[in-house]
Amino acid sequence: MAAGVSETVTSEKRRQSLSESDTKEGYFENAPGAHYRAERGQAATDIHGNPLVELDPVAETKLRRKIDLYIIPTVAILYLFCFIDRANIGNARLDTLEKDLDLHGYDYNTLLSIFYVGYILFEIPATITCKWMGPGWFLPLTSLGFGIMSVCMAFVNNFSQACGVRFLLGVFEAGMMPGIAYYLSRWYRRSELTLRLSLYIVMSPLAGAFGGLLASAILKLDHFGTLHGWRMIFGIEGIITVGLALIGFLTLTDHPATARWLTQEEKDLAIARVKSERVGQTEIIDKMDAKKLKLGIFNPVVFFTGFAFLLNNITVQGLAFFAPTVVATIYPTKSVIQKQLLTVPPYIVGGFFTVLMPLISRWLDRRQIFIIACCPLVMVGYIMFLATENAHIRYGAAFLVSTSVFAAGPLTNSQVSANVVSDTARSSAIGYNVMVGNVGGLIATWSFLPSDAPKYHIGNGINLAASGGTLVISLCLLIWMKRDNTKRELRNAEEELAGMSQQEIQDLDYKHPGFRWKP
C-alpha cells in the first residue's frame, strides 16, 4: 500500500459504492497508475460522505509536518509584508507625511479608502486568476507587484500621485489573503486548515508590532539613498517585499501532484486525505466553470459568513490604520518613536490569541462557536473606550480588542472552505468572503475622522456596533446550520442520485444529499 493508504470498507453501502475493479484490486495500490487513481480515479467517499479509505496516522503526521515546513514559512512571511506595505502609511503619518503631501481635512481617509476600491474590485477576479494561473506562480507575482508599489510610494510628491499608487497597491494585494487560503485548502484537511490559516493571518497583528518596530528603526537613519524620513519606510519595506517575492518563485508549488519535494507515495497520500473529505469528488483540481463559481458564492454559509467577516474587518482594519493615531491621542506628550513603540504590545497579545483560538478549533474541528467567542471581549474593549477618558484604561482597552479581533480572519476563511466541496467553488467562496470582508475595511477608513478626535466616540461606537452585529449573525448562522443538517438526515441519497452521471453528482457541491454543514 502506498504511504500507509489501505482500503477500509465499513458498511455495505460503502462496498456498493466502490467499483468492481476497486473492490478486487484495492482502492490504492503500489502500482503504476496509483497517482492517477488518487487524483482522478474513483470517489474517495460514499454517497453519504463517509471516507472509503483509512489513512495511516503516522505516515499522515510525517507528511503534514513536511508540508508545514515547505509551505507555511514562505506564505506567512509574504503575508507579513503584504500587511506591512498596506498599513505602514499609519506609521508614516506620525512623521511628516501629511505635511509633505499637503494633506488636509479628510485627505488621509481618502488615501486609505482608495486602496480598498482597488482591493474590492479585483478580489474575486484575482482569486479566480490564482486558480487559473496556479498559486505557485500567482502568489509570488502579486507579491512582486505590491512590493514595487510600496517602493513607488516613497517617491510620490502630492495627494493625486499617492492616490494612484494606493489604488494599484490595492489591486496587487487583492488576491493575497484569499489566494493563500485557497492554496492551503489544496494541502490540508478541514480540521487542520484553520490552524494553518492562523499561522499566516497572525502576521496581521505581528505586522502591526513588527511594522512599528521597523518604522522606528528606519526613522533613526539619516537617509536611505536619496530618501529621507517617512519615504524611507516605504522604500526599505518595499525592497524587502520584492526580494521575498523573488524567493517565492523558487519555493512555492501549485499543488501536491507538482511538488518536487514529495515522493510519489507522499503525493498519493496528500491527495487521498484531502479528497476523502469531499463528497462525490473524483478529483482535487477540477476544471473551472461558471456554475461551480456561483455555487461557491451563493452557498448560504459562505454568503452570511462573508457579512460577519465584513463587520469584523471594520475593527481589524480600523485598528491597523488608526492604532498609531489613537495611541498618539492617549499619550500626546510622547515622542514619535515612543508612540510607534506603544502600538507594539497590543499587537503581540493579538498575535498570541490569533494562533490559540484556531489551535483549539483544530482539536475540536469546530469554527462557528469560536467566531462567536471572538465578539464579547472586543465589545467590552470598545465600551471601555467610550466610557472613560483615563489614558491607562483606554490603552488597556486596546489589548482587549486585540485578543480576539484578529482570530476571526482564519476562522471565517476556514469556515467557508469547509462548507463547499469542489476546488472551483472553494476559490470563489474564499474570494467572496475576503471581498465582502474588505468592504468592512473601506468602512473602517471613515470610522475615525479628524472631527471626532481626540476621543473618537463615533469611531469607537461604530466598532462596538460592528462587533455586536458579528455576534448576532454568527449565532443565527450556527442555529440554522444545525437545523438544516437535521433536515438533510431525512433525505434519501440513493433515490436522489439515481440516474445521475458522475459529473452531475460532482456538480451538486453543497446540494449533494450526502453533504452536511460543518459548524
Side-chain angles (χ1 to χ4, degrees):
M1 296 297 175
V5 181
S6 60
E7 181 182 0
T8 301
V9 183
T10 60
S11 68
E12 185 61 32
K13 288 181 178 179
R14 292 190 188 184
R15 290 189 183 94
Q16 293 173 353
S17 64
L18 283 170
S19 70
E20 182 179 352
S21 63
D22 282 329
T23 304
K24 292 178 180 178
E25 300 173 4
Y27 191 75
F28 293 104
E29 57 180 306
N30 191 13
H35 176 247
Y36 177 83
R37 282 178 173 271
E39 187 164 7
R40 301 185 184 279
Q42 299 292 327
T45 70
D46 63 18
I47 60 175
H48 303 284
N50 301 308
L52 293 171
V53 291
E54 183 178 337
L55 306 177
D56 179 0
V58 176
E60 195 173 358
T61 298
K62 182 179 178 182
L63 173 66
R64 186 169 56 244
R65 289 173 179 170
K66 189 173 185 179
I67 294 172
D68 287 343
L69 180 64
Y70 274 85
I71 291 178
I72 298 300
T74 300
V75 297
I77 293 173
L78 285 176
Y79 192 71
L80 170 67
F81 278 88
C82 170
F83 210 85
I84 286 177
D85 290 345
R86 175 191 315 184
N88 54 13
I89 191 171
N91 301 108
R93 188 188 191 190
L94 289 183
D95 197 51
T96 59
L97 172 81
E98 290 179 300
K99 178 182 177 182
D100 293 347
L101 297 184
D102 195 27
L103 304 184
H104 302 284
Y106 300 126
D107 286 349
Y108 178 73
N109 300 80
T110 303
L111 264 184
L112 300 183
S113 298
I114 200 68
F115 167 87
Y116 282 103
V117 174
Y119 200 108
I120 293 167
L121 288 177
F122 285 86
E123 193 79 61
I124 292 180
T127 311
I128 294 173
T129 302
C130 181
K131 175 176 172 59
W132 171 76
M133 181 182 293
W137 290 100
F138 175 82
L139 294 176
L141 186 62
T142 198
S143 299
L144 181 64
F146 64 71
I148 292 172
M149 288 304 105
S150 182
V151 174
C152 290
M153 191 69 187
F155 296 94
V156 299
N157 294 306
N158 55 55
F159 174 67
S160 298
Q161 292 174 357
C163 281
V165 173
R166 290 289 295 181
F167 176 82
L168 292 176
L169 181 68
V171 171
F172 283 111
E173 287 201 8
M176 200 62 186
M177 183 178 186
I180 296 176
Y182 164 66
Y183 180 46
L184 295 182
S185 73
R186 291 182 167 190
W187 297 86
Y188 293 102
R189 285 180 176 272
R190 179 184 66 244
S191 62
E192 301 165 355
L193 184 60
T194 308
L195 177 61
R196 272 69 189 184
L197 292 180
S198 75
L199 293 177
Y200 86 86
I201 293 179
V202 71
M203 295 301 162
S204 297
L206 291 185
F210 182 65
L213 292 172
L214 185 57
S216 300
I218 291 172
L219 289 175
K220 290 181 179 180
L221 300 175
D222 291 331
H223 64 90
F224 178 71
T226 60
L227 303 177
H228 297 81
W230 59 267
R231 296 180 185 276
M232 294 190 297
I233 297 176
F234 292 111
I236 293 174
E237 292 175 355
I239 289 172
I240 294 173
T241 303
V242 169
L244 292 171
L246 296 176
I247 294 173
F249 281 111
L250 302 175
T251 59
L252 295 180
T253 184
D254 285 341
H255 50 83
T258 61
R260 294 185 298 273
W261 40 270
L262 292 178
T263 66
Q264 186 60 52
E265 289 77 12
E266 288 172 331
K267 292 177 181 180
D268 290 344
L269 178 57
I271 294 166
R273 72 195 205 99
V274 173
K275 194 167 69 169
S276 67
E277 295 185 331
R278 299 185 181 180
V279 59
Q281 300 298 298
T282 63
E283 55 192 9
I284 295 297
I285 312 300
D286 58 345
K287 293 182 179 180
M288 192 184 309
D289 64 71
K291 181 179 179 180
K292 290 179 182 177
L293 290 172
K294 290 178 182 178
L295 284 172
I297 295 173
F298 295 105
N299 175 307
V301 171
V302 173
F303 192 80
F304 287 102
T305 299
F307 278 97
F309 190 41
L310 182 156
L311 296 174
N312 169 262
N313 225 24
I314 293 176
T315 302
V316 170
Q317 303 299 340
L319 198 62
F321 287 125
F322 293 101
T325 302
V326 172
V327 167
T329 63
I330 296 174
Y331 298 105
T333 61
K334 301 287 186 181
S335 69
V336 171
I337 291 179
Q338 287 176 319
K339 292 172 185 175
Q340 301 274 18
L341 295 176
L342 282 168
T343 65
V344 173
Y347 282 119
I348 293 176
V349 172
F352 173 77
F353 282 94
T354 300
V355 175
L356 179 63
M357 283 193 175
L359 180 61
I360 301 172
S361 168
R362 185 258 186 275
W363 289 335
L364 301 176
D365 193 16
R366 293 290 184 272
R367 291 150 297 277
Q368 196 68 22
I369 190 65
F370 290 97
I371 297 174
I372 294 169
C374 284
C375 302
L377 282 179
V378 179
M379 295 172 69
V380 171
Y382 281 108
I383 289 172
M384 291 169 62
F385 270 121
L386 289 167
T388 183
E389 296 184 3
N390 182 284
H392 297 292
I393 294 176
R394 287 167 67 84
Y395 187 56
F399 284 85
L400 283 181
V401 172
S402 296
T403 54
S404 52
V405 71
F406 292 102
L411 289 166
T412 55
N413 278 296
S414 179
Q415 184 68 322
V416 300
S417 177
N419 285 283
V420 294
V421 180
S422 71
D423 187 70
T424 296
R426 187 166 286 100
S427 68
S428 62
I430 295 174
Y432 163 83
N433 185 60
V434 179
M435 180 197 73
V436 175
N438 279 286
V439 173
L442 179 60
I443 296 171
T445 62
W446 294 94
S447 59
F448 292 89
L449 300 174
S451 58
D452 196 26
K455 305 305 178 185
Y456 295 107
H457 293 301
I458 295 175
N460 292 321
I462 289 173
N463 282 280
L464 175 60
S467 302
T470 304
L471 177 63
V472 171
I473 291 175
S474 301
L475 187 58
C476 290
L477 186 56
L478 176 62
I479 295 170
W480 179 85
M481 291 169 75
K482 291 186 174 182
R483 289 183 176 179
D484 194 62
N485 276 346
T486 301
K487 293 179 181 178
R488 285 172 176 263
E489 291 293 342
L490 303 177
R491 297 172 64 177
N492 189 314
E494 288 86 352
E495 290 183 2
E496 292 188 36
L497 299 178
M500 297 180 69
S501 67
Q502 183 61 52
Q503 186 60 51
E504 288 174 330
I505 293 174
Q506 287 188 195
D507 290 345
L508 289 174
D509 205 82
Y510 72 90
K511 296 182 180 181
H512 191 290
F515 177 83
R516 299 293 182 270
W517 302 112
K518 313 298 189 305

